[in-house]
């Protein structure tokens, strides 16, 4: 096999790898967790976590643009009962005693609003077509001027036809600039929605890293994957752990740790995937992921356990929305 053939095979192999990554990336769960410097998870002598007590608070539900009974019909208690199981596996235990409660776990859940991809939107397409037509018209007039031997400084350039041609050229140029402005505005709107979703889903560190870099083939692949995930409807859950005692006694909101996790909405049902999502994300409760991590999404299932006290509170000056 000669060198050009080997290069072709290597190139095709890379394309296949990227294609496989793009297909399977849809089935990944994205998790991002951050921890305050003041929070340290203590362990017993045998290496197991020392239990920490908590109470739940309802942060709120962010409904998506379309009716989805798998999430719209789930109330906070159903969410809390599901999340409590993986929390217990990490030795976070609910309590109804406000004197011993260490953490206030504020839970948000919902579906993101996906922006209409600017390059696919009707406004963008119309603007792009108009800009192309106006550019062609502008070029045709320029060619007509040259074909008639009319330069900018020639005497013939002052004829009525030439003056009209120059005016039409200027109008086409202005219209072309306006069309480009429409497309630019569409892209700015798209970027704004993507940034908002990045912050909600925990993609902010990856966003800042990728969008602030100079680029390159590998970086372009990462950017394409990130934008693709941000521009699809995604189920998400945010768990924010506050210092309960400080909140009750001093009315101060001190965030100790937070974990954000999400999966794409398409082909999934939130009520069937919530347990699997949370179980996988719980590996990072109280720990720092140092950015966004992606894990293959496990098969979801629902387990109905015994009813127990989850230690919910009476909205103790609920912290701000994330």
């Amino acid at each position: 096999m000669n060198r050009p053939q080997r290069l072709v095979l290597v190139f095709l192999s890379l394309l296949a790898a990227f294609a496989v990554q793009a297909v399977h990336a849809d089935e990944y769960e994205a998790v991002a967790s951050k921890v305050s410097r003041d929070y340290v998870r203590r362990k017993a002598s045998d290496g197991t976590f020392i239990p920490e007590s908590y109470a739940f608070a309802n942060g709120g539900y962010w409904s998506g643009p379309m009716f989805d009974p798998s999430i719209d019909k789930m109330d906070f208690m159903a969410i809390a009962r599901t999340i409590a199981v993986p929390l217990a596996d990490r030795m976070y235990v609910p309590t109804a005693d406000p004197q011993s409660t260490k953490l206030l776990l504020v839970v948000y859940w919902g579906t993101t609003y996906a922006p209409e991809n600017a390059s696919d939107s009707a406004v963008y397409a119309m603007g792009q077509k108009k800009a192309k037509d106006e550019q062609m018209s502008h070029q045709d007039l320029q060619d007509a001027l040259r074909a008639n031997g009319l330069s900018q400084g020639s005497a013939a350039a002052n004829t009525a036809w030439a003056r009209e041609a120059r005016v039409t050229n200027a109008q086409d140029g202005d219209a072309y600039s306006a069309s480009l402005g429409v497309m630019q505005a569409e892209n700015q709107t798209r970027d704004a929605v993507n940034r908002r979703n990045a912050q909600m889903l925990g993609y902010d560190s990856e966003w800042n890293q990728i969008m602030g870099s100079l680029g390159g083939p590998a970086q372009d692949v990462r950017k394409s994957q990130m934008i693709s995930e941000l521009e699809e409807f995604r189920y998400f859950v945010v768990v924010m752990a506050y210092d309960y005692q400080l909140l009750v006694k001093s009315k101060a909101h001190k965030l100790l740790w937070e974990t954000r996790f999400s999966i794409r909405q398409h082909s999934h049902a939130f009520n069937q995937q919530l347990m699997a999502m949370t179980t996988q994300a719980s590996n990072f409760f109280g720990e720092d992921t140092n950015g966004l991590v992606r894990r293959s999404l496990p098969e979801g299932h629902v387990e109905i356990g015994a009813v127990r006290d989850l230690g919910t509170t009476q909205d103790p000056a609920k912290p701000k929305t994330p």
Side-chain angles (χ1 to χ4, degrees), residues 137-152 154 156-170:
S137 174
H138 181 70
Q139 187 62 49
D140 288 344
L141 285 167
Q142 292 281 17
D143 293 343
L145 283 172
R146 284 193 294 270
N148 284 274
L150 301 178
S151 63
Q152 184 68 24
S154 67
N158 292 320
T159 64
W161 181 87
R163 288 196 299 272
E164 181 180 353
R166 286 201 303 273
V167 171
T168 305
N169 264 316

Side-chain angles (χ1 to χ4, degrees), residues 50-252:
I50 294 176
E52 292 186 7
S53 59
Y54 71 87
F56 271 129
N58 184 349
Y61 169 49
W62 292 43
S63 61
M66 299 175 291
F67 175 67
D68 182 349
S70 77
I71 189 171
D72 292 338
K73 293 186 176 182
M74 288 192 75
D75 60 16
F76 173 66
M77 290 306 299
I79 302 292
R81 279 196 294 269
T82 304
I83 294 178
V85 178
L87 279 168
D89 292 338
R90 296 283 290 181
M91 299 305 291
Y92 288 106
V93 295
T95 179
D97 179 10
Q99 300 301 319
S100 64
T101 304
K102 179 175 181 179
L103 303 174
L104 177 67
L105 301 185
V106 184
V107 180
Y108 303 83
W109 74 101
T111 308
T112 57
Y113 277 73
E116 183 178 22
N117 189 309
S119 60
D120 295 333
S121 73
V123 175
Y124 185 95
M126 290 174 62
Q128 190 176 44
K129 183 179 185 303
K130 187 172 179 60
K132 184 177 181 180
D133 292 344
E134 287 154 358
Q135 188 178 33
M136 292 179 63
S137 174
H138 181 70
Q139 187 62 49
D140 288 344
L141 285 167
Q142 292 281 17
D143 293 343
L145 283 172
R146 284 193 294 270
N148 284 274
L150 301 178
S151 63
Q152 184 68 24
S154 67
N158 292 320
T159 64
W161 181 87
R163 288 196 299 272
E164 181 180 353
R166 286 201 303 273
V167 171
T168 305
N169 264 316
Q171 290 173 340
D172 282 343
D174 291 342
Y176 177 58
S177 297
S179 297
L180 290 178
V182 169
M183 290 185 286
Q184 184 180 20
E186 281 281 295
N187 282 324
Q188 289 174 345
T189 300
R190 172 190 179 189
D191 287 345
V193 176
N194 282 338
R195 280 196 299 271
R196 183 184 65 199
N197 285 342
Q199 293 172 348
M200 173 60 74
L201 300 175
Y203 283 68
D204 48 337
S205 60
E206 184 169 288
W207 174 280
N208 293 334
Q209 180 187 27
I210 292 177
M211 304 304 280
S213 66
L214 295 177
Q219 200 78 337
D220 289 343
V221 171
R222 291 184 62 204
K223 179 179 178 181
S224 178
Q225 179 183 0
M226 179 187 71
I227 295 298
S228 176
E229 292 174 13
L230 292 174
E231 292 188 346
E232 61 187 1
F233 298 110
R234 295 185 70 82
Y235 294 131
F236 70 88
V237 177
V238 179
V239 181
M240 307 184 77
Y242 290 86
D243 186 321
Y244 183 92
Q245 296 302 320
L246 184 63
L247 179 62
V248 172
K249 296 174 182 177
S250 303
K251 306 301 180 184

Side-chain angles (χ1 to χ4, degrees), residues 283-296:
N283 293 321
F284 304 103
F285 286 169
E287 298 185 13
D288 202 321
T289 57
N290 297 307
L292 186 73
V293 297
R294 294 175 175 86
R295 294 290 184 268
S296 296

